[in-house]
DNA sequence: TTTCGTTGCCTAACGTCGTTATATATCAAC
DNA sequence: GTTGATATATAACGACGTTAGGCAACGAAA
């Protein structure tokens, strides 16, 4: 039934994702080419297509792993607004390219639908835990504010010396807005 | 001095920017290739390089034109937080690809430095007008919140039925946070 | 132990991209 | 009309994502 030693596909997937993350984090996403990925794995390009449909699929897999990591990072701190906010921003600044794949790049991942992956739900749930309300509006607003801070800050669009002030003001806003 | 009828370079630049915007808005940024741009202008690729250093330069020019338009859109409404917030979000949803070029794509534009273009300053000034404070922290937070809402919403990452609730909550937060 | 069928991988290629070198055509100046 | 400069077009280069086709390796059947 198995003519040739069938390789561990799960392991191969993981290797590709890890290599993609490393290359992206060091040289940027445009440097993550199928040829370079194959080279980093000591294989040839067609091998990549045995576990991924294409380059976009690789990026999506990296993004998904990022959402899992973000969820872990958020759950690791206390269920307190400021703690979770700092954990979120810490994650974004520690892995800028990963964060880029998760939010700023074209993605084939389903988000608001029923097929939304569990990793995504977990990450949002960790935020909602810290910003509870009836329908989740407050958590979505908190998330938006954090995402805006993270991206504009990383893009150099905000004054670096005001980073702490922005965080504190955002925190004050989000917590005082408890009663609607 | 002028051996051949020297073409209007400014006009050509404008034509390229307009064509790039149209193609991007209809078929997405990956469809904005130098070949297609040249075709839309009835010229050949090398002509584009007489007015733009490369593709990135074209994208940057489109982004810059977007900042100018954003500034105009913001200045067109009253200096009231809710008005300017709605104007901002209206702009982002009306020209999603343009907004993408301005914020979500790799850019060679200088932002926080002294060389920041006037179009950018104008857009931010219009926001600061509506969210005044001593050092501009509040305007930066407002901008971040709006940017987060715009991008996450456009990416389908937020519940569509809560859009109005998110806007109102964000507005309430930003306005009540007047005293620090 | 030999043969066969299946499966995994590599080489090579296709079409498209951004970008550039070379050549040709066009017009002002004399 | 000749000359010289310049604007444009043709053609190419290298790299990309992706795929087709051939070769080699291995388990099962004989």
């Amino acid at each position: 039934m198995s003519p040739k030693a069938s390789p561990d596909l799960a392991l191969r997937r993981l290797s590709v994702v890890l290599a993609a993350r490393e290359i992206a984090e060091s040289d940027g996403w445009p440097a993550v080419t199928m040829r370079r990925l194959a080279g980093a794995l000591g294989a040839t390009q067609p091998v990549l297509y045995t576990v991924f449909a294409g380059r976009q699929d690789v990026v999506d897999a990296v993004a998904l792993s990022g959402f899992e990591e973000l969820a872990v990072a958020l759950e690791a701190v206390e269920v307190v607004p400021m703690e979770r906010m700092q954990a979120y921003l810490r994650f974004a600044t520690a892995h800028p390219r990963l964060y880029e794949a998760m939010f700023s790049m074209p993605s084939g991942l389903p988000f608001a639908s029923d097929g939304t992956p569990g990793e995504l739900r977990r990450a949002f749930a960790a935020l909602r835990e810290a910003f509870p309300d009836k329908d989740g509006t407050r958590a979505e607003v908190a998330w938006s504010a954090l995402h805006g801070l993270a991206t504009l800050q990383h893009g150099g669009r905000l004054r670096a010396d005001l980073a702490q002030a922005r965080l504190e003001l955002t925190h004050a806003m989000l917590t005082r807005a408890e009663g609607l």
Side-chain angles (χ1 to χ4, degrees), chain A:
Chain A
M1 295 286 180
S2 58
K4 187 152 186 191
S6 59
D8 189 339
L9 296 182
L11 176 65
R12 182 179 297 175
R13 265 187 80 92
L14 186 64
S15 307
V16 175
V17 169
L18 254 56
R21 278 190 56 166
E22 272 181 37
I23 297 172
E25 215 69 64
S26 62
D27 295 357
W29 278 108
V32 181
T33 69
M34 299 303 264
R35 280 170 173 82
R36 182 156 172 192
L37 268 179
L41 267 74
T44 57
Q45 301 106 301
V47 176
L48 302 174
Y49 291 87
T50 62
V51 275
F52 288 106
R55 196 192 112 104
Q56 182 63 61
D57 205 19
V58 175
V59 176
D60 288 347
V62 172
L64 210 56
S65 82
F67 278 110
E68 167 137 33
E69 260 188 55
L70 175 59
V72 171
L74 292 177
E75 292 163 357
V77 302
E78 281 189 89
V79 190
V80 175
M82 183 52 107
E83 292 282 329
R84 299 252 152 141
M85 290 175 69
Q86 285 177 323
Y88 188 100
L89 294 178
R90 220 180 300 126
F91 176 88
T93 50
H95 320 287
R97 313 288 192 173
L98 178 58
Y99 192 86
E100 204 180 326
M102 294 162 63
F103 290 106
S104 302
M105 288 176 72
S107 168
L109 265 47
F111 278 97
S113 69
D114 293 341
T116 305
E119 293 89 335
L120 258 137
R121 292 189 201 278
R122 256 184 76 193
F124 182 68
L127 235 76
R128 187 159 177 184
E129 223 178 348
F131 297 98
D133 68 346
K134 24 186 189 298
D135 53 5
T137 303
R138 194 154 156 264
E140 286 196 349
V141 169
W143 185 18
S144 300
L146 287 170
H147 175 62
L149 284 176
T151 53
L152 292 184
Q153 192 148 341
H154 172 251
R157 264 114 159 153
L158 301 177
R159 283 177 53 185
D161 58 307
L162 295 181
Q164 185 63 26
R166 283 192 299 268
L167 175 61
E168 286 170 8
L169 179 55
T170 306
H171 173 261
M173 282 173 15
L174 286 167
T175 49
R176 285 182 200 174
E178 209 148 0
L180 183 78

